Amino acid sequence: MKREEFRELMCQQLGTEEADRLIAALEGDEQPVSVRHNPAKPYAEPQGREVAWCRWGRYLPERPSFTRDGLFQAGAYYVQEASSMFVGYLLESALAGKQTAGLRVLDMCAAPGGKSTLYSSIVGERGLVVANEVIRTRALTLADNALRWGAGNIVVTSNDPSHFSSSLVEWFDVVAVDAPCSGEGMFRKSEEARENWSPDNVRLCAARQRRIMADAWASLRPGGIFIYSTCTFNGMENEENMEWLCQEFECERVEIECPEEWNIARTEAGVAECFHFYPHRTEGEGLFAAIVRKGGEGGRRRSPKPRRNPFGEVEPKVRKMVEGLLVEGNYHFATIGESIYGYRKELWEDVRCVSEQMSVLFSGVKIGELFGKKFKPDHSLALSALLRLDSFPTWELSEEDLGRYLHREELGCTSELSEGVNLLLWRGCPVGFTKRIGQRTNTMLPKEFRIFI
Ligand code: SAM
């Protein structure tokens, strides 16, 4: 029954022939596999066919076991569906080669972090991405993925979108809403998406999306870029919402060039340029994306008055010690509780402002903790692209020891490690720390990063 209702909706939207091709693709079992490499961790030569709209994206001929791969665990790449990478193409097109230093991006619905890590690579180490996820458990996964990515320019928050519209008004240069949706584009990947689909749920999603869009819009500065995306096909959650946005608020057109051979279907809604990825036309899952610029004058608003200050000061001698662990650059160091965090100086004021307003789960690089005079480095430092690789003795893991490390087991190479903390590498890429104490090792891999397969 549901299938028929869905088919009818798609027939209205695409015509019978195209709707049937779409449904056949959704019911087929061909699922492209793709990954996106981390430009801050260029440890492996990207393999596979390039994703046309993303220079870091590659299609793989088959699905390997990502969980057991050291480079995946080390954040050298992210497993991301190819269509999703298109939002990065939109952002780069809108920025048109402009400086990204000082840019503030908000990714309002960010978990598990696919698009946030992409934006992080685009804005580079001098731009900031605030990755927000309202559902706490999902926000924790997002924080783990931001840590793995190790770029140092992601702040993970867990707030309701309304907190942004009330506390960081017109503060961001770019706001992205990758909205929770009815998930029609995920039908071939997810049985849950198929089971939960109904016309009523589509209407419910569309109404919720408008609320999120309105809050997100309020936190965008005049002249800023707004990117809206869903992984669903129907017009109610897509074009109709963009039309509504253009009617309610002052929106301007952003021209996007998009080569015909990519087979992306283009539509318009108000002044918005809209893009549909249909699995029977493009190699990837379903995606809808749209872009507009916020009209009006005035630029960014000033940062609001602090509500709280979670940071403490770092003593000069501690600062000197931790500074030596990072690659050359200007840093600000601060404590949160017992832990020491490092931030690129250019990002610090913005990170502080977000931390004073929002519930922050992760930011910058968590360098470690001091117990009296003893310093314990954090997993975040090992996976940070800002770590100086000669700060610790290093050890290249064998395949067996990589498996043991990821399972948090005793390593076979113990007697060959230096006494104390060692930085473990897999194909040259840091995967974490371990501490040798005499004839045994104490793993420093946090429990939440342990694998079970
Ligand atoms: N952008 C993510 C990525 O690329 O990895 C995927 C985001 S997913 C499509 C939408 C997210 O919105 C989910 O993580 C969901 O928990 C979150 N969400 C659910 N209800 C929400 C609400 N009322 N306001 C904001 N976000 C919500």
Side-chain angles (χ1 to χ4, degrees):
M1 183 62 190
K2 274 188 192 168
R3 184 184 182 280
E4 270 319 296
E5 283 173 295
F6 174 63
R7 181 173 176 273
E8 210 176 296
L9 198 66
M10 288 302 104
C11 287
Q12 283 165 20
Q13 194 164 315
L14 299 170
T16 312
E17 195 204 344
E18 183 137 19
D20 283 337
R21 284 174 55 211
L22 169 66
I23 288 168
L26 292 177
E27 290 177 348
D29 43 28
E30 193 187 315
Q31 286 181 16
V33 181
S34 48
V35 297
R36 182 171 42 76
H37 289 266
N38 185 344
K41 299 186 180 183
Y43 291 97
E45 184 62 32
Q47 303 289 326
R49 230 167 358 100
E50 198 171 320
V51 175
W53 44 89
C54 179
R55 62 189 176 283
W56 303 301
R58 294 289 184 279
Y59 291 105
L60 304 184
E62 59 196 3
R63 177 171 282 270
S65 166
F66 292 117
T67 310
R68 295 174 67 92
D69 182 9
L71 291 178
F72 169 71
Q73 294 295 345
Y77 65 88
Y78 189 94
V79 184
Q80 187 174 39
E81 207 280 298
S83 313
S84 299
M85 301 176 198
F86 186 71
V87 294
Y89 177 81
L90 289 182
L91 178 58
E92 285 193 302
S93 304
L95 295 173
K98 283 193 202 109
Q99 276 284 337
T100 55
L103 206 72
R104 299 170 182 162
V105 177
L106 168 63
D107 189 2
M108 185 64 101
C109 309
K115 298 187 181 68
S116 302
T117 51
L118 172 57
Y119 295 138
S120 150
S121 299
I122 291 172
V123 302
E125 56 192 23
R126 291 181 169 77
L128 186 73
V129 177
V130 175
N132 180 65
E133 169 58 47
V134 65
I135 298 176
R136 194 77 179 182
T137 46
R138 291 180 58 81
L140 293 171
T141 307
L142 173 64
D144 287 347
N145 285 335
L147 181 157
R148 253 197 202 106
W149 202 243
N153 64 353
I154 303 181
V155 178
V156 174
T157 59
S158 184
N159 287 83
D160 189 86
S162 60
H163 293 161
F164 284 88
S165 57
S166 59
S167 300
L168 291 173
V169 181
E170 299 188 348
W171 196 81
F172 290 94
D173 304 297
V174 176
V175 173
V177 173
D178 187 33
C181 67
S182 60
E184 295 159 0
M186 291 291 140
F187 277 2
R188 71 176 159 184
K189 265 190 154 177
S190 154
E191 198 183 323
E192 196 187 337
R194 287 194 296 274
E195 285 299 306
N196 290 343
W197 190 91
S198 71
D200 277 351
N201 192 37
V202 167
R203 277 187 285 276
L204 205 106
C205 287
R208 180 170 58 197
Q209 286 151 356
R210 287 189 186 186
R211 289 197 297 274
I212 300 173
M213 288 166 97
D215 282 325
W217 188 261
S219 64
L220 179 65
R221 71 161 167 88
I225 300 295
F226 186 82
I227 298 174
Y228 176 72
S229 55
T230 69
C231 58
T232 212
F233 304 118
N234 73 75
M236 219 181 291
E237 295 177 68
N238 295 328
E239 280 87 350
E240 286 181 30
N241 273 351
M242 285 309 293
E243 251 159 46
W244 169 83
L245 187 85
C246 294
Q247 273 164 13
E248 289 293 306
F249 305 105
E250 195 180 336
C251 297
E252 294 171 359
R253 189 175 182 80
V254 180
E255 297 289 344
I256 301 289
E257 270 183 39
C258 184
E260 289 264 318
E261 63 267 24
W262 292 357
N263 270 326
I264 300 166
R266 299 183 69 151
T267 57
E268 298 197 352
V271 295
E273 289 241 49
C274 306
F275 304 84
H276 274 279
F277 283 68
Y278 291 110
H280 64 288
R281 296 175 56 140
T282 318
E283 205 176 344
E285 302 303 326
L287 176 90
F288 170 86
I291 185 165
V292 287
R293 180 174 284 110
K294 182 166 178 169
E297 305 280 312
R300 288 172 174 177
R301 292 242 195 130
R302 276 219 221 122
S303 293
K305 286 205 177 102
R307 289 185 181 179
R308 66 176 90 84
N309 175 15
F311 297 110
E313 299 220 342
V314 171
E315 287 175 34
K317 64 173 193 279
V318 175
R319 180 198 157 86
K320 218 168 165 198
M321 187 265 290
V322 292
E323 204 163 32
L325 302 173
L326 302 183
V327 294
E328 223 178 289
N330 287 324
Y331 297 98
H332 181 92
F333 296 96
T335 57
I336 304 176
E338 301 302 309
S339 302
I340 305 161
Y341 284 75
Y343 303 93
R344 282 214 178 262
K345 255 236 160 84
E346 303 93 313
L347 302 182
W348 165 244
E349 286 302 329
D350 286 350
V351 173
R352 186 169 69 178
C353 172
V354 174
S355 310
E356 285 166 353
Q357 304 297 327
M358 299 291 158
S359 165
V360 172
L361 300 187
F362 178 79
S363 62
V365 188
K366 185 174 176 186
I367 296 186
E369 283 181 47
L370 262 181
F371 299 95
K373 283 193 173 160
K374 283 205 173 136
F375 171 69
K376 183 182 173 211
D378 192 86
H379 192 54
S380 164
L381 179 64
L383 266 50
S384 171
L386 300 177
L387 171 69
R388 269 181 62 154
L389 291 192
D390 59 0
S391 304
F392 296 90
T394 54
W395 182 260
E396 180 70 38
L397 290 168
S398 64
E399 200 164 340
E400 292 74 27
D401 269 342
L402 171 68
R404 291 183 187 115
Y405 182 69
L406 295 176
H407 287 97
R408 299 183 90 238
E409 290 165 2
E410 183 74 37
L411 302 182
C413 61
T414 300
S415 61
E416 292 167 90
L417 297 177
S418 304
E419 189 67 18
V421 175
N422 290 254
L423 179 65
L424 302 174
L425 310 178
W426 172 249
R427 301 196 177 152
C429 179
V431 289
F433 292 118
T434 197
K435 187 173 184 184
R436 177 176 175 186
I437 309 161
Q439 286 320 301
R440 60 184 180 86
T441 47
N442 272 0
T443 184
M444 293 168 75
L445 183 75
K447 284 197 182 78
E448 57 274 23
F449 287 84
R450 176 185 192 176
I451 67 167
F452 293 94
I453 60 163

